[in-house]
Amino acid sequence: MSASPSSLSKIWEDPVRRGIALFAAMFVLVLLVGLVQGTASILLILTQATAFALIALGLNIQWGYGGLFNFAIMGFLMVGGASTVFLSYPVNMAFWESDGPLMLGRAVLAFLIAVALVWAARKVDRLGITGKARTAIVALAWFVGYIIYRTQIDPAATYIESTAGFVGGLGLHPILGWAFGGLVSAVIAFYVGKISLGLRTDYLAIATIGISEIIRALIKNMDWLTRGTMTVSPMPWPTPLPQQLQAAGASIPESFIYARVMFLVVCVAILIGAFFLVQRAYGGPWGRMMRAIRDNHISAGSMGKDVTGRQLELFVFGSILMGIGGAMLATFTQIFDPSGYQPINHTFMVWVMVIVGGAGNNWGVVLGAFLIYIIWIISDPLAQMIFLNLSVITEQMGWGAIPEIDSRALQMRVFVLGVVITIALRYAPKGLIPEVVKRS
């Protein structure tokens, strides 16, 4: 006997029962995809979806909690990937046995001199030099500092690329590389936030888009540090690789399943830890203050709250999760390819996850991350199947075969995401599991 419309309406209106029903539906979807594509394939999808759930949780901290438009997600993912390369990739002895470390040390010293020079120039007002004279001195200090730094870094970069290829890593455990990715992202987010958080809404979005592109350009062109477009591979895993399990006697299918299960367990443990901490923080006084700032920053500021300081906290905390998630993705795919990062995959899709899941609700964001990523992955083979069948029909009708089915199927991913977000905003404008604010 089917459920009546009134009972379905009650389930949809109750946040708890609604969430349970949606997660149950998600579980069924995962089972169906696993039955069709196989265990190893669904484990791959779930592992990457877990990393994206952590990234979406970071965006939820920024947008759902603080109303901050951050479109620099791709940049922080690249920072996380590059950071884990530096810390966990095997040591490149060709670099350490050459003059590269000495030349790089000189470049670091030149950078510190340039920073000190600019800092000193900004303090000349204490000597009574103000106005245009101070501005000219600061500009001159920036120019001289840049020249000093480039005179050392350019020959060092050329020498490293010609003798060792790139710096390489430190050979440490990948988990440490993930933590380092979060730390570097936090440092970058701090200075980005100090500069751009004074802007509001669309201006902040434009600023973060520019910052993301600057980060991408730097990482793509610093061949001596990140290997640029030549890619870094293979990245070590924190758990045994399939090849290692095969050497221990496991069959090829079993090795991929066991290896991905172990990697997935590590990722889920990190996601659960981050989820617990964020949930506890948002449910306490800190969370109430953040909601007050998000809903009306003018009123919160008039009551003595440091609006910009609190927003900076949100921006940094969210960026840490993005950096860790980016490091997890680079490690799992075993390749760091700066040219493989695209705004549609690594910024727009994360925003869709948060919007569809429910901004301000961590449960909704996690659900949205898994749902959107699974749809993103399966839409390609489904579109190929549909186009192939249509192509057979059009050939039989004398219209000819459909050309470039592979590229058309990939383009259908964006169309499917557009349909999903349109339907979600029509029937669940606040998300599948919207934010629930308890009021006393």
Side-chain angles (χ1 to χ4, degrees):
M1 187 174 180
S2 60
S4 63
S6 60
S7 61
L8 292 176
S9 178
K10 290 179 181 178
I11 292 175
W12 190 254
E13 291 174 0
D14 185 353
V16 177
R17 297 170 70 182
R18 179 179 181 175
I20 293 173
L22 289 171
F23 272 99
M26 173 59 62
F27 180 74
V28 173
L29 176 62
V30 170
L31 287 180
L32 291 175
V33 175
L35 290 173
V36 174
Q37 296 198 353
T39 304
S41 179
I42 192 60
L43 287 172
L44 182 146
I45 293 173
L46 288 176
T47 303
Q48 293 179 324
T50 303
F52 272 103
L54 187 68
I55 296 165
L57 201 62
L59 179 60
N60 189 46
I61 292 174
Q62 298 172 343
W63 163 243
Y65 292 0
L68 303 176
F69 281 86
N70 178 19
F71 283 94
I73 302 169
M74 180 185 68
F76 289 114
L77 299 191
M78 294 186 73
V79 168
S83 299
T84 195
V85 166
F86 178 74
L87 216 67
S88 62
Y89 192 76
V91 175
N92 184 2
M93 294 308 300
F95 165 73
W96 293 103
E97 292 174 353
S98 67
D99 291 334
L102 177 61
M103 299 180 70
L104 203 56
R106 292 173 181 168
V108 172
L109 181 60
F111 176 78
L112 295 176
I113 292 173
V115 170
L117 191 63
V118 173
W119 179 84
R122 291 174 61 88
K123 301 296 181 180
V124 295
D125 55 338
R126 298 183 179 182
L127 302 177
I129 303 175
T130 58
K132 294 182 179 180
R134 178 181 178 274
T135 303
I137 291 174
V138 171
L140 180 62
W142 273 100
F143 177 76
V144 173
Y146 177 77
I147 296 298
I148 293 174
Y149 173 66
R150 292 307 297 262
T151 56
Q152 298 299 318
I153 191 61
D154 286 348
T158 303
Y159 176 82
I160 293 170
E161 291 171 17
S162 61
T163 57
F166 80 123
V167 170
L170 299 179
L172 300 179
H173 196 275
I175 297 292
L176 295 177
W178 298 358
F180 186 63
L183 177 62
V184 176
S185 297
V187 173
I188 293 176
F190 176 80
Y191 287 103
V192 169
K194 292 286 283 186
I195 296 170
S196 62
L197 284 182
L199 305 173
R200 298 297 177 192
T201 57
D202 50 345
Y203 295 105
L204 176 61
I206 294 170
T208 51
I209 290 173
I211 290 165
S212 178
E213 291 302 319
I214 290 171
I215 293 174
R216 179 163 70 163
L218 286 174
I219 293 178
K220 283 183 67 174
N221 292 285
M222 295 175 69
D223 292 356
W224 61 274
L225 181 61
T226 65
R227 214 159 179 260
T229 55
M230 292 185 289
T231 74
V232 178
S233 180
M235 297 284 292
W237 275 18
T239 55
L241 288 164
Q243 294 82 353
Q244 294 171 320
L245 296 179
Q246 292 168 23
S251 64
I252 294 178
E254 289 177 345
S255 66
F256 278 93
I257 292 173
Y258 296 151
R260 288 174 181 176
V261 165
M262 287 185 281
F263 198 105
L264 176 61
V265 168
V266 175
C267 294
V268 169
I270 293 175
L271 176 62
I272 291 174
F275 185 94
F276 175 78
L277 294 175
V278 173
Q279 192 79 350
R280 287 292 301 272
Y282 194 56
W286 181 82
R288 290 192 292 271
M289 177 179 60
M290 293 304 178
R291 284 193 295 272
I293 293 174
R294 177 196 64 189
D295 295 338
N296 195 328
H297 66 274
I298 297 176
S299 297
S302 66
M303 290 186 289
K305 303 300 181 182
D306 183 6
V307 174
T308 304
R310 300 289 78 79
Q311 288 179 335
L312 183 60
E313 289 178 4
L314 291 175
F315 196 75
V316 170
F317 292 159
S319 299
I320 290 174
L321 298 186
M322 292 176 184
I324 296 174
M328 291 164 59
L329 287 173
T331 300
F332 182 67
T333 56
Q334 287 195 276
I335 184 170
F336 177 68
D337 180 13
S339 62
Y341 289 85
Q342 300 296 329
I344 184 67
N345 296 24
H346 300 98
T347 295
F348 175 71
M349 188 168 66
V350 180
W351 270 96
V352 175
M353 291 172 178
V354 174
I355 293 171
V356 171
N361 190 313
N362 295 321
W363 291 103
V365 167
V366 171
L367 175 71
F370 279 88
L371 174 64
I372 295 301
Y373 191 74
I374 291 174
I375 291 175
W376 175 263
I377 293 298
I378 67 175
S379 60
D380 180 18
L382 281 177
Q384 285 196 33
M385 182 182 68
I386 294 171
F387 282 137
L388 286 171
N389 291 326
L390 286 176
S391 182
V392 172
I393 296 173
T394 56
E395 279 190 296
Q396 293 174 350
M397 297 177 67
W399 296 350
I402 299 176
E404 301 177 354
I405 289 179
D406 291 343
S407 61
R408 291 173 186 268
L410 282 174
Q411 294 168 5
M412 284 298 293
R413 285 178 164 183
V414 181
F415 173 77
V416 171
L417 277 190
V419 172
V420 169
I421 195 171
T422 301
I423 294 173
L425 291 176
R426 170 62 180 84
Y427 295 101
K430 294 183 179 180
L432 294 176
I433 308 179
E435 180 184 18
V436 177
V437 179
K438 297 180 180 179
R439 302 185 185 277
S440 56

